[in-house]
Amino acid sequence: MTFPAKRPRRLRSRPALRRLVRETRIAPEDLIYPLFVRDAIDEPQPIASMPGHHQHTLESLTREAEAAIKVGVRSFVLFGIPARKDAQGSEAWNEDGISQRALRQLRNAFGADALLIADLCLCEYTDHGHCGVLEGEIVANDQTLELYQRIAVAQAAAGADVIAPSGMMDGQVRAIRSALDQEGFQDRAILAYAAKYASAFYGPFREAAGSAPRFGDRRGYQMDPANAREAIRESLLDVEEGADIVMVKPALAFLDVIRAVADATEVPVAAYNVSGEYAMVKAAAANGWIDERRVLREILLGIRRAGAQMILTYHAKQAAADIPCWDEMG
Ligand code: PBG
């Protein structure tokens, strides 16, 4: 009988040794917590497909952010749901629009303790649900860019630290960068949704944000899930246009894309663990089919291993509270 000369099991033999050789760790400050705030409601509205999440009032939004800060999550991405929609989505750049009020409120409440990221898109604000203005049934790229510039400036003026354009218009990063610079907001960063796929995993979000398109779909501007090399092209273009951080979205079916973008760029990479990914975990856990805490840990470690430095996730508050126990679980 010949014995193995190399025994990887040795390093797995004791908890202290396993911790010592652990390659990937996640801290609460790596997580970004997406929150929804809705205009003209008195009570927070639960989102059925996203258990634990609500369309918040300004008040409940602040309480939820405070609870997250208590467990170490300081970064938030905000989605506003207006009371009034029109063809252009004009509430998006109204200085008293819901997103802008929410930004001011969180800034007042938490000062520099909170990092405020404003999602910049029109789909929550247009009556047709598309991410830009229409010309016939086509989203008109360059006309939409002018509206994105107005939104970026309104969000920055309301206190956003980071602007996160998610509409997948060509040239959106350059357009926003130049508008911000022109208005004196050179210090605000851009987190670009660089490789955003036309994905069925956004289903619950569209219920949460009331942003489903009234006709057609988003395949004319969001990426084809079959493509990986194109994600590198999109990411390099965004970096060239001035993106400070690039993002891949969704995360779990696109881990190879996260890796490819991380290898091809020199800026930090973010990944969006989207609503459908959250809903699947919650549904399986509610049925007792998976151990939610351990599954969540594996998911976040997987996204991290793939090359994302930061993760947008609806599990952020829950995960952060649990992270002190993770070394014992592994
Ligand atoms: C807005 C936007 C979407 C998401 C983030 N920003 C929806 C979409 O593109 O239809 C999805 C987020 C999620 O599913 O968690 N354009």
Side-chain angles (χ1 to χ4, degrees):
M1 177 152 185
T2 55
F3 297 102
K6 297 193 174 161
R7 294 181 182 273
R9 284 186 57 186
R10 243 178 238 130
L11 296 181
R12 299 175 200 144
S13 60
R14 295 171 50 206
L17 202 46
R18 289 199 291 271
R19 275 183 222 182
L20 197 62
V21 300
R22 187 155 290 148
E23 296 173 32
T24 311
R25 280 198 167 73
I26 291 171
E29 52 265 37
D30 303 327
L31 304 177
I32 300 171
Y33 198 24
L35 293 171
F36 301 97
V37 58
R38 180 168 166 187
D39 203 359
I41 52 170
D42 297 327
E43 294 293 326
Q45 309 289 314
I47 301 163
S49 53
M50 301 177 69
H53 278 272
H54 296 80
Q55 296 176 334
H56 284 290
T57 63
L58 284 172
E59 218 179 22
S60 70
L61 176 78
T62 309
R63 279 200 303 275
E64 185 64 9
E66 186 173 15
I69 290 173
K70 277 213 175 93
V71 292
V73 176
R74 295 167 177 287
S75 302
F76 303 95
V77 59
L78 288 184
F79 296 97
I81 306 152
R84 197 179 55 77
K85 304 190 188 218
D86 57 31
Q88 292 220 311
S90 59
E91 274 294 284
W93 62 85
N94 178 351
E95 68 178 85
D96 285 317
I98 186 62
S99 297
Q100 280 65 257
R101 274 187 286 146
L103 288 163
R104 284 196 296 269
Q105 162 121 349
L106 293 181
R107 180 62 69 221
N108 282 340
F110 306 113
D113 283 343
L115 185 87
L116 304 180
I117 305 171
D119 181 89
L120 190 163
C121 197
L122 279 166
C123 62
E124 300 96 338
Y125 298 91
T126 51
D127 51 18
H128 46 75
H130 278 286
C131 301
V133 281
L134 296 177
E135 222 170 45
E137 296 214 335
I138 304 289
V139 175
N141 195 88
D142 299 8
Q143 283 165 255
T144 298
L145 294 182
E146 288 172 32
L147 304 187
Y148 284 5
Q149 290 181 312
R150 293 188 208 170
I151 304 173
V153 170
Q155 290 173 332
D161 299 297
V162 180
I163 308 294
S166 65
M168 289 299 280
M169 294 302 121
D170 291 336
Q172 62 184 11
V173 173
R174 190 186 307 281
I176 288 166
R177 183 72 271 160
S178 80
L180 289 172
D181 290 356
Q182 214 170 333
E183 297 299 319
F185 298 115
Q186 291 89 347
D187 59 332
R188 309 309 164 89
I190 295 179
L191 188 170
Y193 287 68
K196 178 175 178 179
Y197 288 88
S199 171
F201 283 101
Y202 307 152
F205 175 96
R206 292 182 185 171
E207 177 207 334
S211 66
R214 287 283 165 79
F215 66 88
D217 53 44
R218 306 213 201 288
R219 285 181 293 179
Y221 39 106
Q222 298 181 348
M223 283 179 58
D224 180 345
N227 296 354
R229 295 176 67 246
E230 189 186 354
I232 299 176
R233 182 172 190 228
E234 281 281 9
S235 302
L236 293 178
L237 275 174
D238 280 1
V239 170
E240 199 182 292
E241 291 181 27
D244 300 284
I245 302 171
V246 290
M247 180 150 72
V248 174
K249 173 189 176 185
L252 292 179
F254 301 88
L255 294 175
D256 60 322
V257 175
I258 296 174
R259 169 49 57 202
V261 168
D263 288 344
T265 60
E266 291 176 342
V267 295
V269 174
Y272 201 142
N273 177 216
V274 299
S275 59
E277 297 170 337
Y278 176 83
M280 290 195 300
V281 171
K282 286 291 172 190
N287 278 291
W289 294 337
I290 58 169
D291 176 339
E292 181 176 359
R293 294 174 58 215
R294 299 189 58 207
V295 163
L296 178 51
R297 173 174 178 264
E298 282 179 42
I299 285 176
L300 297 179
L301 283 174
I303 297 171
R304 200 61 196 288
R305 269 197 337 273
Q309 176 168 352
M310 62 196 88
I311 304 172
L312 285 76
T313 177
Y314 300 97
H315 298 282
K317 184 183 73 167
Q318 175 191 358
D322 206 29
I323 281 174
C325 308
W326 280 10
D327 269 341
E328 307 300 329
M329 279 158 61

mmCIF file of all heavy atoms in Angstrom, residues 34 36 50 79 119-124 131 166-167 193 196-197 199 201-206 211 213 218 222 249 272-276 314, ligand 1:
data_model
loop_
_atom_site.group_PDB
_atom_site.id
_atom_site.type_symbol
_atom_site.label_atom_id
_atom_site.label_comp_id
_atom_site.label_asym_id
_atom_site.label_seq_id
_atom_site.Cartn_x
_atom_site.Cartn_y
_atom_site.Cartn_z
ATOM 1 N N PRO A 34 -29.768 47.632 -0.309
ATOM 2 C CA PRO A 34 -30.748 48.347 -1.133
ATOM 3 C C PRO A 34 -32.051 48.556 -0.357
ATOM 4 O O PRO A 34 -32.550 47.625 0.290
ATOM 5 C CB PRO A 34 -31.004 47.396 -2.317
ATOM 6 C CG PRO A 34 -30.020 46.272 -2.180
ATOM 7 C CD PRO A 34 -29.630 46.211 -0.739
ATOM 8 N N PHE A 36 -36.071 50.576 -0.467
ATOM 9 C CA PHE A 36 -37.110 51.220 -1.278
ATOM 10 C C PHE A 36 -37.838 52.263 -0.441
ATOM 11 O O PHE A 36 -38.199 51.989 0.699
ATOM 12 C CB PHE A 36 -38.139 50.180 -1.743
ATOM 13 C CG PHE A 36 -37.537 49.065 -2.558
ATOM 14 C CD1 PHE A 36 -37.196 47.855 -1.970
ATOM 15 C CD2 PHE A 36 -37.303 49.247 -3.913
ATOM 16 C CE1 PHE A 36 -36.635 46.826 -2.725
ATOM 17 C CE2 PHE A 36 -36.740 48.229 -4.678
ATOM 18 C CZ PHE A 36 -36.403 47.017 -4.083
ATOM 19 N N MET A 50 -40.434 39.603 -1.419
ATOM 20 C CA MET A 50 -39.145 39.873 -0.779
ATOM 21 C C MET A 50 -39.339 39.966 0.733
ATOM 22 O O MET A 50 -39.275 41.053 1.320
ATOM 23 C CB MET A 50 -38.536 41.172 -1.318
ATOM 24 C CG MET A 50 -38.302 41.137 -2.824
ATOM 25 S SD MET A 50 -37.681 42.693 -3.468
ATOM 26 C CE MET A 50 -36.044 42.710 -2.739
ATOM 27 N N PHE A 79 -33.855 53.358 -3.812
ATOM 28 C CA PHE A 79 -34.772 53.337 -4.938
ATOM 29 C C PHE A 79 -36.033 54.089 -4.548
ATOM 30 O O PHE A 79 -36.689 53.732 -3.554
ATOM 31 C CB PHE A 79 -35.136 51.902 -5.313
ATOM 32 C CG PHE A 79 -33.951 51.109 -5.803
ATOM 33 C CD1 PHE A 79 -33.250 50.284 -4.945
ATOM 34 C CD2 PHE A 79 -33.530 51.224 -7.119
ATOM 35 C CE1 PHE A 79 -32.144 49.563 -5.396
ATOM 36 C CE2 PHE A 79 -32.428 50.511 -7.582
ATOM 37 C CZ PHE A 79 -31.737 49.681 -6.716
ATOM 38 N N ASP A 119 -29.448 55.124 -6.892
ATOM 39 C CA ASP A 119 -29.673 54.453 -8.167
ATOM 40 C C ASP A 119 -30.242 55.486 -9.129
ATOM 41 O O ASP A 119 -31.149 56.240 -8.773
ATOM 42 C CB ASP A 119 -30.669 53.298 -7.997
ATOM 43 C CG ASP A 119 -30.919 52.560 -9.301
ATOM 44 O OD1 ASP A 119 -30.161 51.617 -9.570
ATOM 45 O OD2 ASP A 119 -31.843 52.942 -10.043
ATOM 46 N N LEU A 120 -29.671 55.542 -10.326
ATOM 47 C CA LEU A 120 -30.160 56.518 -11.301
ATOM 48 C C LEU A 120 -30.775 55.786 -12.483
ATOM 49 O O LEU A 120 -30.067 55.157 -13.265
ATOM 50 C CB LEU A 120 -29.000 57.418 -11.756
ATOM 51 C CG LEU A 120 -29.363 58.643 -12.596
ATOM 52 C CD1 LEU A 120 -28.204 59.628 -12.605
ATOM 53 C CD2 LEU A 120 -29.769 58.304 -14.009
ATOM 54 N N CYS A 121 -32.099 55.833 -12.539
ATOM 55 C CA CYS A 121 -32.797 55.235 -13.676
ATOM 56 C C CYS A 121 -34.147 55.910 -13.814
ATOM 57 O O CYS A 121 -34.575 56.648 -12.927
ATOM 58 C CB CYS A 121 -32.979 53.731 -13.477
ATOM 59 S SG CYS A 121 -33.372 52.894 -15.039
ATOM 60 N N LEU A 122 -34.817 55.662 -14.926
ATOM 61 C CA LEU A 122 -36.128 56.291 -15.126
ATOM 62 C C LEU A 122 -37.286 55.308 -15.009
ATOM 63 O O LEU A 122 -38.441 55.722 -14.964
ATOM 64 C CB LEU A 122 -36.172 56.990 -16.490
ATOM 65 C CG LEU A 122 -35.507 58.373 -16.510
ATOM 66 C CD1 LEU A 122 -35.299 58.845 -17.949
ATOM 67 C CD2 LEU A 122 -36.346 59.396 -15.745
ATOM 68 N N CYS A 123 -37.001 53.995 -14.936
ATOM 69 C CA CYS A 123 -38.101 53.030 -15.055
ATOM 70 C C CYS A 123 -39.121 53.134 -13.924
ATOM 71 O O CYS A 123 -40.291 52.849 -14.123
ATOM 72 C CB CYS A 123 -37.569 51.605 -15.195
ATOM 73 S SG CYS A 123 -36.606 51.019 -13.801
ATOM 74 N N GLU A 124 -38.700 53.571 -12.735
ATOM 75 C CA GLU A 124 -39.664 53.734 -11.645
ATOM 76 C C GLU A 124 -40.514 54.996 -11.848
ATOM 77 O O GLU A 124 -41.522 55.175 -11.174
ATOM 78 C CB GLU A 124 -38.963 53.867 -10.282
ATOM 79 C CG GLU A 124 -38.098 52.679 -9.880
ATOM 80 C CD GLU A 124 -36.633 52.885 -10.239
ATOM 81 O OE1 GLU A 124 -36.346 53.710 -11.151
ATOM 82 O OE2 GLU A 124 -35.782 52.229 -9.634
ATOM 83 N N CYS A 131 -36.632 52.500 -19.227
ATOM 84 C CA CYS A 131 -35.556 53.188 -18.514
ATOM 85 C C CYS A 131 -35.134 54.494 -19.171
ATOM 86 O O CYS A 131 -34.102 55.076 -18.815
ATOM 87 C CB CYS A 131 -34.356 52.244 -18.367
ATOM 88 S SG CYS A 131 -34.777 50.716 -17.477
ATOM 89 N N SER A 166 -28.178 52.915 -13.797
ATOM 90 C CA SER A 166 -28.527 51.514 -14.051
ATOM 91 C C SER A 166 -29.327 51.326 -15.332
ATOM 92 O O SER A 166 -29.859 50.260 -15.583
ATOM 93 C CB SER A 166 -29.315 50.950 -12.869
ATOM 94 O OG SER A 166 -30.561 51.607 -12.720
ATOM 95 N N GLY A 167 -29.396 52.368 -16.169
ATOM 96 C CA GLY A 167 -30.288 52.292 -17.326
ATOM 97 C C GLY A 167 -29.710 51.659 -18.572
ATOM 98 O O GLY A 167 -30.430 51.404 -19.527
ATOM 99 N N TYR A 193 -23.469 50.547 -13.303
ATOM 100 C CA TYR A 193 -24.002 49.233 -13.636
ATOM 101 C C TYR A 193 -23.442 48.967 -15.035
ATOM 102 O O TYR A 193 -24.053 49.328 -16.033
ATOM 103 C CB TYR A 193 -25.518 49.251 -13.704
ATOM 104 C CG TYR A 193 -26.304 49.346 -12.411
ATOM 105 C CD1 TYR A 193 -26.288 50.490 -11.624
ATOM 106 C CD2 TYR A 193 -27.126 48.286 -12.006
ATOM 107 C CE1 TYR A 193 -27.065 50.578 -10.471
ATOM 108 C CE2 TYR A 193 -27.899 48.367 -10.851
ATOM 109 C CZ TYR A 193 -27.865 49.513 -10.093
ATOM 110 O OH TYR A 193 -28.646 49.597 -8.972
ATOM 111 N N LYS A 196 -25.016 44.911 -17.039
ATOM 112 C CA LYS A 196 -26.333 44.607 -16.492
ATOM 113 C C LYS A 196 -27.111 43.815 -17.535
ATOM 114 O O LYS A 196 -27.330 44.287 -18.653
ATOM 115 C CB LYS A 196 -27.069 45.902 -16.146
ATOM 116 C CG LYS A 196 -28.470 45.655 -15.623
ATOM 117 C CD LYS A 196 -29.121 46.947 -15.184
ATOM 118 C CE LYS A 196 -30.536 46.695 -14.701
ATOM 119 N NZ LYS A 196 -31.186 47.927 -14.251
ATOM 120 N N TYR A 197 -27.487 42.611 -17.145
ATOM 121 C CA TYR A 197 -28.121 41.693 -18.087
ATOM 122 C C TYR A 197 -29.642 41.828 -18.064
ATOM 123 O O TYR A 197 -30.228 42.150 -17.023
ATOM 124 C CB TYR A 197 -27.718 40.258 -17.736
ATOM 125 C CG TYR A 197 -26.272 39.973 -18.091
ATOM 126 C CD1 TYR A 197 -25.252 40.242 -17.190
ATOM 127 C CD2 TYR A 197 -25.944 39.484 -19.349
ATOM 128 C CE1 TYR A 197 -23.919 40.011 -17.521
ATOM 129 C CE2 TYR A 197 -24.621 39.243 -19.699
ATOM 130 C CZ TYR A 197 -23.609 39.511 -18.787
ATOM 131 O OH TYR A 197 -22.306 39.285 -19.132
ATOM 132 N N SER A 199 -32.524 40.238 -17.330
ATOM 133 C CA SER A 199 -32.624 39.031 -16.511
ATOM 134 C C SER A 199 -33.996 38.841 -15.894
ATOM 135 O O SER A 199 -34.617 39.800 -15.412
ATOM 136 C CB SER A 199 -31.578 39.121 -15.386
ATOM 137 O OG SER A 199 -31.770 38.086 -14.446
ATOM 138 N N PHE A 201 -34.289 37.395 -13.194
ATOM 139 C CA PHE A 201 -34.051 37.490 -11.751
ATOM 140 C C PHE A 201 -34.470 38.848 -11.160
ATOM 141 O O PHE A 201 -34.394 39.047 -9.961
ATOM 142 C CB PHE A 201 -32.569 37.239 -11.438
ATOM 143 C CG PHE A 201 -32.178 35.780 -11.500
ATOM 144 C CD1 PHE A 201 -31.530 35.273 -12.614
ATOM 145 C CD2 PHE A 201 -32.446 34.918 -10.444
ATOM 146 C CE1 PHE A 201 -31.161 33.935 -12.681
ATOM 147 C CE2 PHE A 201 -32.082 33.585 -10.504
ATOM 148 C CZ PHE A 201 -31.437 33.083 -11.623
ATOM 149 N N TYR A 202 -34.885 39.792 -12.005
ATOM 150 C CA TYR A 202 -35.342 41.100 -11.474
ATOM 151 C C TYR A 202 -36.830 41.099 -11.145
ATOM 152 O O TYR A 202 -37.364 42.130 -10.736
ATOM 153 C CB TYR A 202 -35.088 42.236 -12.481
ATOM 154 C CG TYR A 202 -33.667 42.361 -12.996
ATOM 155 C CD1 TYR A 202 -33.421 42.900 -14.267
ATOM 156 C CD2 TYR A 202 -32.582 41.958 -12.234
ATOM 157 C CE1 TYR A 202 -32.131 43.018 -14.758
ATOM 158 C CE2 TYR A 202 -31.282 42.070 -12.731
ATOM 159 C CZ TYR A 202 -31.068 42.591 -13.993
ATOM 160 O OH TYR A 202 -29.793 42.707 -14.484
ATOM 161 N N GLY A 203 -37.498 39.967 -11.338
ATOM 162 C CA GLY A 203 -38.946 39.926 -11.170
ATOM 163 C C GLY A 203 -39.460 40.566 -9.886
ATOM 164 O O GLY A 203 -40.293 41.481 -9.930
ATOM 165 N N PRO A 204 -38.997 40.113 -8.716
ATOM 166 C CA PRO A 204 -39.513 40.697 -7.470
ATOM 167 C C PRO A 204 -39.250 42.194 -7.343
ATOM 168 O O PRO A 204 -40.089 42.937 -6.845
ATOM 169 C CB PRO A 204 -38.762 39.911 -6.385
ATOM 170 C CG PRO A 204 -38.409 38.613 -7.032
ATOM 171 C CD PRO A 204 -38.124 38.957 -8.461
ATOM 172 N N PHE A 205 -38.111 42.648 -7.842
ATOM 173 C CA PHE A 205 -37.800 44.089 -7.782
ATOM 174 C C PHE A 205 -38.856 44.904 -8.517
ATOM 175 O O PHE A 205 -39.261 45.975 -8.064
ATOM 176 C CB PHE A 205 -36.429 44.354 -8.412
ATOM 177 C CG PHE A 205 -36.062 45.812 -8.519
ATOM 178 C CD1 PHE A 205 -35.279 46.417 -7.551
ATOM 179 C CD2 PHE A 205 -36.503 46.598 -9.586
ATOM 180 C CE1 PHE A 205 -34.937 47.759 -7.654
ATOM 181 C CE2 PHE A 205 -36.175 47.937 -9.688
ATOM 182 C CZ PHE A 205 -35.382 48.520 -8.719
ATOM 183 N N ARG A 206 -39.280 44.386 -9.655
ATOM 184 C CA ARG A 206 -40.227 45.176 -10.455
ATOM 185 C C ARG A 206 -41.572 45.303 -9.748
ATOM 186 O O ARG A 206 -42.261 46.298 -9.906
ATOM 187 C CB ARG A 206 -40.348 44.591 -11.862
ATOM 188 C CG ARG A 206 -39.032 44.796 -12.610
ATOM 189 C CD ARG A 206 -39.061 44.294 -14.023
ATOM 190 N NE ARG A 206 -37.724 44.418 -14.612
ATOM 191 C CZ ARG A 206 -37.378 43.905 -15.779
ATOM 192 N NH1 ARG A 206 -38.285 43.262 -16.504
ATOM 193 N NH2 ARG A 206 -36.153 44.047 -16.248
ATOM 194 N N SER A 211 -41.921 48.971 -11.469
ATOM 195 C CA SER A 211 -41.153 49.447 -12.621
ATOM 196 C C SER A 211 -41.162 48.490 -13.800
ATOM 197 O O SER A 211 -40.308 48.581 -14.672
ATOM 198 C CB SER A 211 -39.702 49.693 -12.191
ATOM 199 O OG SER A 211 -39.082 48.473 -11.829
ATOM 200 N N PRO A 213 -41.940 47.129 -17.364
ATOM 201 C CA PRO A 213 -42.323 47.828 -18.603
ATOM 202 C C PRO A 213 -43.759 47.469 -19.009
ATOM 203 O O PRO A 213 -44.169 46.325 -18.861
ATOM 204 C CB PRO A 213 -41.308 47.324 -19.632
ATOM 205 C CG PRO A 213 -40.669 46.110 -19.056
ATOM 206 C CD PRO A 213 -40.840 46.179 -17.569
ATOM 207 N N ARG A 218 -36.649 44.714 -21.876
ATOM 208 C CA ARG A 218 -35.475 45.590 -21.858
ATOM 209 C C ARG A 218 -34.313 45.049 -22.690
ATOM 210 O O ARG A 218 -33.180 45.472 -22.539
ATOM 211 C CB ARG A 218 -34.999 45.774 -20.412
ATOM 212 C CG ARG A 218 -36.066 46.265 -19.438
ATOM 213 C CD ARG A 218 -35.447 47.150 -18.370
ATOM 214 N NE ARG A 218 -36.231 47.267 -17.152
ATOM 215 C CZ ARG A 218 -37.372 47.951 -17.043
ATOM 216 N NH1 ARG A 218 -37.899 48.553 -18.090
ATOM 217 N NH2 ARG A 218 -37.980 48.003 -15.871
ATOM 218 N N GLN A 222 -30.511 46.275 -22.157
ATOM 219 C CA GLN A 222 -29.747 45.443 -21.223
ATOM 220 C C GLN A 222 -29.087 44.281 -21.974
ATOM 221 O O GLN A 222 -29.509 43.911 -23.064
ATOM 222 C CB GLN A 222 -30.670 44.921 -20.111
ATOM 223 C CG GLN A 222 -31.265 46.065 -19.288
ATOM 224 C CD GLN A 222 -32.171 45.580 -18.168
ATOM 225 O OE1 GLN A 222 -32.543 44.410 -18.122
ATOM 226 N NE2 GLN A 222 -32.541 46.490 -17.279
ATOM 227 N N LYS A 249 -24.324 42.506 -12.797
ATOM 228 C CA LYS A 249 -25.651 42.243 -12.254
ATOM 229 C C LYS A 249 -26.460 41.416 -13.229
ATOM 230 O O LYS A 249 -26.471 41.765 -14.413
ATOM 231 C CB LYS A 249 -26.323 43.605 -12.009
ATOM 232 C CG LYS A 249 -27.763 43.529 -11.610
ATOM 233 C CD LYS A 249 -28.358 44.904 -11.613
ATOM 234 C CE LYS A 249 -29.830 44.758 -11.294
ATOM 235 N NZ LYS A 249 -30.524 46.001 -11.373
ATOM 236 N N TYR A 272 -24.238 42.692 -7.883
ATOM 237 C CA TYR A 272 -25.591 42.891 -7.347
ATOM 238 C C TYR A 272 -26.273 41.534 -7.212
ATOM 239 O O TYR A 272 -26.616 40.900 -8.192
ATOM 240 C CB TYR A 272 -26.391 43.796 -8.282
ATOM 241 C CG TYR A 272 -27.587 44.490 -7.651
ATOM 242 C CD1 TYR A 272 -27.917 45.794 -7.988
ATOM 243 C CD2 TYR A 272 -28.402 43.838 -6.711
ATOM 244 C CE1 TYR A 272 -29.015 46.447 -7.426
ATOM 245 C CE2 TYR A 272 -29.492 44.478 -6.140
ATOM 246 C CZ TYR A 272 -29.799 45.773 -6.508
ATOM 247 O OH TYR A 272 -30.887 46.405 -5.953
ATOM 248 N N ASN A 273 -26.412 41.105 -5.967
ATOM 249 C CA ASN A 273 -27.139 39.883 -5.611
ATOM 250 C C ASN A 273 -28.634 40.284 -5.609
ATOM 251 O O ASN A 273 -29.137 40.790 -4.623
ATOM 252 C CB ASN A 273 -26.630 39.462 -4.217
ATOM 253 C CG ASN A 273 -27.296 38.252 -3.615
ATOM 254 O OD1 ASN A 273 -27.500 38.204 -2.395
ATOM 255 N ND2 ASN A 273 -27.629 37.276 -4.407
ATOM 256 N N VAL A 274 -29.301 40.043 -6.743
ATOM 257 C CA VAL A 274 -30.566 40.733 -7.023
ATOM 258 C C VAL A 274 -31.790 40.110 -6.347
ATOM 259 O O VAL A 274 -31.703 39.060 -5.701
ATOM 260 C CB VAL A 274 -30.812 40.848 -8.543
ATOM 261 C CG1 VAL A 274 -29.712 41.645 -9.213
ATOM 262 C CG2 VAL A 274 -30.978 39.463 -9.166
ATOM 263 N N SER A 275 -32.925 40.763 -6.579
ATOM 264 C CA SER A 275 -34.165 40.412 -5.885
ATOM 265 C C SER A 275 -34.578 38.954 -6.064
ATOM 266 O O SER A 275 -35.012 38.295 -5.118
ATOM 267 C CB SER A 275 -35.286 41.336 -6.341
ATOM 268 O OG SER A 275 -35.479 41.242 -7.739
ATOM 269 N N GLY A 276 -34.453 38.421 -7.290
ATOM 270 C CA GLY A 276 -34.865 37.033 -7.534
ATOM 271 C C GLY A 276 -33.958 36.049 -6.800
ATOM 272 O O GLY A 276 -34.407 34.978 -6.371
ATOM 273 N N TYR A 314 -29.936 42.235 -0.603
ATOM 274 C CA TYR A 314 -31.084 42.453 0.284
ATOM 275 C C TYR A 314 -30.896 41.715 1.606
ATOM 276 O O TYR A 314 -31.644 41.944 2.553
ATOM 277 C CB TYR A 314 -32.376 42.007 -0.414
ATOM 278 C CG TYR A 314 -32.597 42.791 -1.688
ATOM 279 C CD1 TYR A 314 -32.208 42.283 -2.920
ATOM 280 C CD2 TYR A 314 -33.136 44.078 -1.646
ATOM 281 C CE1 TYR A 314 -32.363 43.015 -4.090
ATOM 282 C CE2 TYR A 314 -33.293 44.821 -2.800
ATOM 283 C CZ TYR A 314 -32.899 44.282 -4.019
ATOM 284 O OH TYR A 314 -33.042 45.031 -5.162
HETATM 285 C C1 PBG B 1 -33.599 49.862 -12.533
HETATM 286 C C2 PBG B 1 -33.147 48.707 -11.738
HETATM 287 C C3 PBG B 1 -33.586 47.367 -11.754
HETATM 288 C C4 PBG B 1 -32.889 46.715 -10.736
HETATM 289 C C5 PBG B 1 -32.029 47.659 -10.178
HETATM 290 N N1 PBG B 1 -32.180 48.865 -10.826
HETATM 291 C C6 PBG B 1 -34.660 46.696 -12.500
HETATM 292 C C7 PBG B 1 -34.604 46.512 -13.936
HETATM 293 O O1 PBG B 1 -33.619 46.773 -14.631
HETATM 294 O O2 PBG B 1 -35.649 46.081 -14.445
HETATM 295 C C8 PBG B 1 -33.053 45.286 -10.328
HETATM 296 C C9 PBG B 1 -32.626 44.963 -8.947
HETATM 297 C C10 PBG B 1 -33.088 43.668 -8.407
HETATM 298 O O3 PBG B 1 -33.733 42.837 -9.077
HETATM 299 O O4 PBG B 1 -32.800 43.438 -7.232
HETATM 300 N N2 PBG B 1 -33.364 49.857 -13.864
#
